[in-house]
Amino acid sequence: MQRKIFCLIGGSGSGKDTQGNLLAKRFGLEHISMGGILRSEAKKGNPIAVKAQEVANQGKWVDGDTVAKLLTAYMLDLKGKGLILNGFPRSDDQRQYFPAILEETEMELVAVIHLEVSDEVLIQRMEAQVEEGQEREDTTPEIMAQRLKSYKDTIDPILQGYKENGQLVNINGENTPEQVHQDILSSLEGKVELQG
């Protein structure tokens, strides 16, 4: 799994964190969300990340060039270790930057796993996260609604692009976490070695 990367995409509340952790444990890979990279770099005072975090906190997607710079730096620090990347790409311009990022970091994209969850369930899950005390600046009702709108407005070209090159895996994200994980593993058969 050296130099392999899997992307997990889906609306906020679709289960990307849960599935990313399960896949990372299964394959011995690093797991991080693009949002996590932004927040971490912003806390360090990285001026690019600080400005990007202001955009993210409004429920909007950060532009591809900014994300590419932050993601490339993070992936280079992995020194070839494999990665589960959660929440990327969020927009088609981010997707278009990805091949150059992969080339520069000498990483191979195995699959883009899309967790399909209805709007109603996404909203229920986001509200539940807030009730459980996981509130962040981007989890107010207004921002959650904006995040869902941003996702709906930008997901189609991303899905179409990865479907055309055979790297898209669509998974029903409304099942139990265990079932979703098994469905992901089944969908990856033939794409990657699943032993171990």
Side-chain angles (χ1 to χ4, degrees), residues 122-186:
L122 288 176
I123 291 170
Q124 290 171 7
R125 290 181 178 179
M126 284 191 284
E127 290 175 344
Q129 288 173 356
V130 173
E131 290 173 3
E132 292 168 4
Q134 299 181 33
E135 186 167 5
R136 303 190 310 249
E137 289 183 59
D138 58 355
T139 55
T140 65
E142 297 78 14
I143 298 304
M144 287 192 294
Q146 179 59 51
R147 286 163 62 192
L148 181 57
K149 182 180 185 302
S150 295
Y151 166 71
K152 299 289 285 184
D153 288 347
T154 58
I155 191 63
D156 286 344
I158 297 172
L159 298 181
Q160 187 60 34
Y162 287 115
K163 181 179 179 180
E164 289 175 357
N165 66 19
Q167 291 176 308
L168 179 66
V169 172
N170 284 308
I171 299 292
N172 181 353
E174 295 189 14
N175 290 321
T176 65
E178 296 78 12
Q179 183 61 57
V180 172
H181 181 60
Q182 288 304 314
D183 290 345
I184 291 174
L185 293 180
S186 295

Side-chain angles (χ1 to χ4, degrees), residues 29-80:
L29 302 177
E30 184 87 11
H31 170 228
I32 193 165
S33 68
M34 194 62 232
I37 294 173
L38 286 179
R39 289 187 289 274
S40 174
E41 288 300 309
K43 284 182 179 179
K44 295 176 185 176
N46 182 322
I48 296 175
V50 169
K51 185 174 290 187
Q53 189 61 46
E54 291 173 356
V55 173
N57 285 342
Q58 298 172 37
K60 300 175 183 178
W61 302 155
V62 180
D63 68 276
D65 182 59
T66 297
V67 169
K69 290 174 182 175
L70 295 169
L71 181 56
T72 299
Y74 181 86
M75 288 170 62
L76 287 172
D77 281 346
L78 290 175
K79 305 192 184 308

Side-chain angles (χ1 to χ4, degrees), residues 1-4 75-82 105 107:
M1 286 295 182
Q2 294 293 308
R3 301 187 181 279
K4 304 288 186 183
M75 288 170 62
L76 287 172
D77 281 346
L78 290 175
K79 305 192 184 308
K81 185 177 180 181
T105 59
M107 299 279 279

